[in-house]
Amino acid sequence: MHRICFALVSVVTLSACSVDRAQPGSIADVVQASAHGLEVEATPEDQAREEVLAMPTDFDITLEQDRFAWERARFFLENYSTDGVEHGNPVVKVVGTRRGLGSPPTASSYSYEVFKDFYAGGYRYSVRCVPGPQGESRQAMLNAGNFARFIRDGKLEVSLLPRTQG
């Protein structure tokens, strides 16, 4: 009787979840939840990763919000793009009417940059992250989405940023 109750509780618990894939090595993977038609809940970090990766790296900002967005871009570059070196000064870039900020020279794993172009209703922002010799392209895509989301919405997933070596 106890085995039946345990099995029933396990099935109900697993079926109450909402994503259809199990991470390798997870409990859902071990009990083969997908093979039995059970749904598996994504972790909060997985959900955040998906949201960040879906974030467009080209977006519009109104004139009213531009000052805040630009300050967030500067803050990110000063605090999160320096490979463990405390506070770096972003590189200011001006190309014609385009204004930009780039990673401080101390950054080596990933190089970030953001440009803004004026249009009648505000600015069009473009964000990039390029992996350096120690970086990975998948992480660079995640970094660009995270940086863009922080500039646009003020939301930053610090746990998804690359770990510094050292």
Side-chain angles (χ1 to χ4, degrees):
M1 180 68 174
H2 292 301
R3 288 182 188 167
I4 293 172
C5 288
F6 178 76
L8 184 57
V9 169
S10 296
V11 169
V12 170
T13 302
L14 288 174
S15 65
C17 301
S18 66
V19 175
D20 63 354
R21 70 175 197 277
Q23 297 293 322
S26 69
I27 296 295
D29 181 45
V30 171
V31 299
Q32 299 177 341
S34 297
H36 296 291
L38 302 175
E39 296 178 0
V40 179
E41 178 71 34
T43 66
E45 186 171 309
D46 289 339
Q47 292 171 352
R49 180 178 286 109
E50 289 174 18
E51 185 177 328
V52 165
L53 284 171
M55 178 68 198
T57 55
D58 294 319
F59 52 91
D60 296 333
I61 295 289
T62 65
L63 290 173
E64 295 81 24
Q65 291 300 312
D66 174 59
R67 180 173 55 128
F68 304 110
W70 200 244
E71 283 304 313
R72 285 191 295 267
R74 180 179 297 283
F75 179 85
F76 179 93
L77 292 170
E78 288 173 352
N79 293 285
Y80 296 107
S81 69
T82 57
D83 288 344
V85 177
E86 282 194 38
H87 304 293
N89 291 321
V91 176
V92 177
K93 301 177 179 188
V94 179
V95 180
T97 60
R98 292 185 95 196
R99 300 287 182 250
L101 293 173
S103 298
T106 58
S108 63
S109 296
Y110 297 94
S111 176
Y112 298 86
E113 71 178 8
V114 57
F115 279 97
K116 65 179 183 177
D117 294 298
F118 179 75
Y119 73 93
Y123 289 93
R124 178 78 172 167
Y125 277 65
S126 296
V127 174
R128 286 181 5 135
C129 179
V130 178
Q134 301 168 348
E136 301 172 1
S137 57
R138 176 96 172 133
Q139 181 67 47
M141 288 175 25
L142 188 63
N143 295 347
N146 209 357
F147 185 26
R149 182 174 176 234
F150 183 62
I151 293 169
R152 190 181 88 173
D153 301 334
K155 297 178 181 178
L156 181 62
E157 295 294 336
V158 176
S159 65
L160 297 180
L161 292 174
R163 307 284 188 250
T164 57
Q165 288 88 22

